[in-house]
């Protein structure tokens, strides 16, 4: 079996490998499988930017709409040097399955620019964002395609995006989600992905015999997702014993003081050097034995090379596509349960959906209401995935794909292929 994975796959091939296994189990005919697998529309645009120091820089921006059978396309925008068409296709496809899994009336999309936002001034970022928004404008709309933040982007970037779209089309807050609250953002959106990860981690702990109170947790990434996961798990009594980011890692077997770490990162923009723990090599983060491991940074971080060293009971995927198919197989052989990305990190798009509905109605909810509704959505999706896994004797990932694919397939058939 392992031989089928030996050749390194691209991110899109990895997602499609998972998709195909689940579609085969559902008995979807090969031609229909192909229609659900492939992307509907792919845009690549050139972006030039005059940097503050006068240098002229060239970037490429991408927007991929994977499948729109269940509603408008929905998906984040990533700013990272590694962004390319293959990665964006993979993430767009995952969005199709994720929105279907949590039963939102959306399709799947993703976008990005291959820039390094950490090396850019606010003025440069704003110019780049406005240029990108103008160049992909023709494919967007509040009932066509609605971007959101992802790695390297945030509420401020969404505000610029909305403003640029509004210059041409008039006031349209529903064109993006993840906006600042004073500009029509939803209360509870910023913490939503982390809170959703926490809700499913709670349920997985209960089902797989892990006592959350006192559990040892390792988290990769302390950005939007990772920092909120840490806060919620910490508040529930878990011990966050190691956290890593792009600059380094920090470890404390007694448990890191998460509010202090958050305050440190706000100032220094990295966990590296945090005085409340020992410095640890970021490349060796996954070697730290734990009960719960949460990758919440990049995709493709758990591979053949480091999976054998992982000692955890549960891996809860905060990041999108963090585990290669072969590493997934190695973890399963070691008896490690993986809660897949399309379930675990669906809280972000769920509250994005709440934000969009609030924008369309121009009627806003309190944070408590957002969180209660989020928990109900995450709980239902978790139960459905669990039930499918038991019924078909498959992993949670395979089950999640099966539930999602079934829904998209039904919509595609109802529309008429
Ligand atoms: P972010 O930009 O806020 O934070 C990213 C974190 O990852 C930072 O701490 C960064 O230092 C760290 N990182 C980057 N490169 C790294 C490396 N090589 N090694 C270790 N750490 C590294 O991004 P985010 O919004 O928190 O997104 C993180 C992941 O979660 C991504 O995979 C994203 O697609 C996924 N996700 C995000 C959301 C959301 O609502 N933001 C929703 C669903 C999924």
């Amino acid at each position: 079996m392992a031989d089928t994975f030996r050749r390194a796959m691209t991110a899109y091939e990895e997602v499609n490998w998972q998709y195909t296994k689940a579609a085969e189990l559902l008995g979807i005919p090969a031609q229909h499988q192909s229609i659900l697998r492939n992307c509907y529309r792919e845009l690549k645009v050139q972006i030039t930017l005059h940097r503050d120091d006068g240098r002229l820089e060239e970037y490429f921006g991408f927007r991929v709409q994977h499948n729109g059978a269940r509603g408008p396309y929905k998906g984040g925008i990533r700013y990272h040097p590694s962004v390319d068409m293959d990665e964006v296709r993979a993430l767009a496809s995952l969005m199709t399955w994720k929105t279907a899994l949590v039963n939102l009336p959306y399709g799947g999309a993703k976008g990005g620019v291959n820039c390094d936002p950490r090396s850019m001034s606010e003025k440069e970022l704003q110019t780049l964002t406005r240029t990108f928004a103008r160049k992909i404008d023709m494919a967007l709309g509040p009932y066509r395609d609605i971007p959101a933040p992802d790695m390297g982007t945030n509420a401020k970037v969404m505000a610029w995006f909305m403003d640029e779209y509004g210059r041409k089309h008039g006031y349209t807050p529903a064109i993006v989600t993840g906006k600042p609250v004073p500009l029509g953002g939803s209360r509870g959106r910023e913490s939503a992905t982390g809170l959703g990860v926490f809700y499913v981690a709670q349920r997985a702990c209960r089902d797989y015999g892990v006592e959350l109170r006192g559990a040892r947790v390792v988290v990769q990434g302390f950005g939007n997702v990772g920092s909120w996961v840490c806060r919620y798990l910490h508040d529930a009594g878990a011990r966050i014993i190691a956290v890593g980011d792009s600059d380094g890692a920090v470890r404390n077997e007694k448990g890191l003081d998460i509010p202090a770490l958050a305050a440190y990162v706000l100032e220094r923009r990295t966990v590296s050097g945090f005085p409340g723990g020992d410095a640890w090599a970021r490349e060796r983060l996954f070697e730290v034995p734990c009960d719960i491991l949460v990758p919440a940074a990049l995709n493709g971080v758990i591979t053949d090379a480091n999976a054998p060293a992982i000692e955890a009971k549960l891996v809860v995927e905060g990041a999108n596509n963090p585990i290669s198919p072969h590493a997934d197989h190695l973890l399963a052989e070691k008896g490690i349960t993986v809660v897949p990305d399309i379930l675990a990190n669906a809280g972000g798009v769920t509250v994005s959906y709440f934000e969009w509905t609030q924008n369309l109605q121009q009627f806003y909810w309190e944070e408590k209401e957002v969180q209660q509704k989020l928990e109900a959505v995450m709980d239902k999706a978790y139960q459905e995935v669990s039930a499918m896994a038991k019924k078909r004797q498959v992993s949670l990932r395979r089950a999640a794909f099966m539930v999602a694919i079934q829904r998209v397939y039904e919509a595609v058939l109802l529309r008429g292929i």
Side-chain angles (χ1 to χ4, degrees):
M1 181 182 190
D3 285 345
T4 53
F5 311 101
R6 280 284 176 248
R7 186 180 61 85
M9 295 183 197
T10 70
Y12 188 44
E13 285 170 344
E14 287 180 353
V15 172
N16 284 334
W17 191 90
Q18 301 291 3
Y19 156 80
T20 304
K21 290 285 168 197
E24 280 169 359
L25 271 181
L26 288 168
I28 297 178
Q31 204 185 13
H32 290 184
Q33 272 187 38
S34 162
I35 288 164
L36 295 187
R37 182 184 303 112
N38 294 326
C39 301
Y40 169 70
R41 182 189 277 146
E42 303 180 344
L43 278 181
K44 179 178 177 185
V45 297
Q46 185 185 44
I47 300 172
T48 52
L49 178 74
H50 289 276
R51 302 291 298 257
D52 293 344
D53 63 7
R55 272 180 304 135
L56 178 63
E57 209 96 69
E58 182 188 31
Y59 300 103
F60 289 99
F62 304 86
R63 186 73 183 169
V64 171
Q65 298 170 340
H66 176 261
N67 185 294
R70 303 184 77 255
Y73 298 96
K74 186 87 190 82
I77 290 182
R78 175 175 289 196
Y79 288 173
H80 193 275
S82 72
V83 165
D84 62 15
M85 187 60 97
D86 183 88
E87 181 181 275
V88 177
R89 282 180 184 137
L91 294 167
S93 170
L94 281 177
M95 285 305 295
T96 297
W97 313 125
K98 191 181 304 183
T99 55
L101 180 62
V102 284
N103 216 355
L104 306 178
Y106 285 141
K110 204 79 179 190
V113 179
N114 64 347
C115 64
D116 178 7
R118 300 212 323 164
S119 73
M120 295 166 77
S121 70
E122 190 162 312
K123 182 166 157 265
E124 290 169 340
L125 267 181
Q126 181 172 168
T127 307
L128 177 113
T129 300
R130 288 181 182 275
T131 310
F132 182 46
R134 280 196 305 278
K135 294 198 173 188
I136 63 169
D137 174 278
M138 79 292 262
L140 304 180
Y143 289 106
R144 185 177 290 273
D145 185 351
I146 306 132
D150 190 70
M151 248 177 70
T153 57
N154 55 23
K156 203 181 254 181
V157 172
M158 294 304 113
W160 298 326
F161 213 99
M162 176 192 83
D163 190 72
E164 194 60 35
Y165 187 86
R167 281 180 175 203
K168 184 169 168 194
H169 302 274
Y171 177 64
T172 320
I175 186 58
V176 283
T177 57
K179 298 177 291 294
V181 173
L183 291 180
S186 177
R187 291 185 180 85
R189 171 61 183 90
E190 201 209 308
S191 54
T193 309
L195 183 57
V197 172
F198 169 71
Y199 286 143
V200 297
Q202 257 185 332
R203 284 154 179 80
C205 281
R206 189 192 57 208
D207 290 355
Y208 295 91
V210 177
E211 180 62 53
L212 187 54
R213 184 161 286 281
R216 292 164 307 151
V217 182
V218 171
V219 179
Q220 185 190 43
F222 201 78
N224 175 286
V225 181
S227 67
W228 284 103
V229 172
C230 285
R231 284 184 184 102
Y232 287 114
L233 287 171
H234 179 262
D235 289 352
R239 271 184 298 151
I240 319 297
I241 58 166
V243 175
D245 66 14
S246 52
D247 291 335
V250 60
R251 187 174 174 184
N252 184 339
E253 277 303 310
K254 293 201 186 96
L256 293 158
D257 177 344
I258 295 302
L261 181 62
Y264 179 87
V265 172
L266 198 64
E267 203 180 297
R268 309 280 181 99
R269 297 176 71 183
T270 175
V271 300
S272 185
F274 178 59
D278 300 322
W280 185 252
R282 78 178 164 103
E283 301 77 21
R284 298 188 55 201
L285 185 72
F286 297 139
E287 292 171 24
V288 178
C290 60
D291 300 303
I292 308 171
L293 173 63
V294 184
L298 291 177
N299 40 302
V301 291
I302 299 181
T303 62
D304 292 10
N306 56 12
I310 291 178
E311 278 181 50
K313 292 180 183 135
L314 284 175
V315 178
V316 185
E317 294 184 334
N320 285 309
N321 196 29
I323 306 179
S324 75
H326 191 221
D328 209 28
H329 172 67
L330 295 177
L331 295 180
E333 278 192 333
K334 291 176 72 159
I336 299 173
T337 300
V338 176
V339 185
D341 47 9
I342 59 171
L343 172 62
N345 70 32
V349 72
T350 301
V351 177
S352 273
Y353 164 64
F354 297 161
E355 179 174 332
W356 181 71
T357 59
Q358 291 172 78
N359 292 152
L360 296 174
Q361 302 168 68
Q362 284 297 307
F363 180 74
Y364 288 88
W365 314 344
E366 292 305 325
E367 183 164 0
K368 203 164 175 46
E369 189 178 351
V370 169
Q371 293 184 339
Q372 281 166 349
K373 286 186 159 71
L374 171 63
E375 183 163 15
V377 169
M378 298 305 293
D379 185 64
K380 187 156 192 280
Y382 182 88
Q383 302 307 340
E384 285 170 341
V385 170
S386 257
M388 177 67 91
K390 283 200 189 88
K391 185 172 152 203
R392 301 296 298 262
Q393 289 294 299
V394 292
S395 67
L396 294 177
R397 189 188 310 282
R398 186 84 15 103
F401 268 87
M402 288 172 76
V403 172
I405 294 168
Q406 239 169 3
R407 288 194 178 130
V408 178
Y409 188 42
E410 185 190 12
V412 167
L413 289 179
L414 285 168
R415 280 171 180 262
I417 269 185

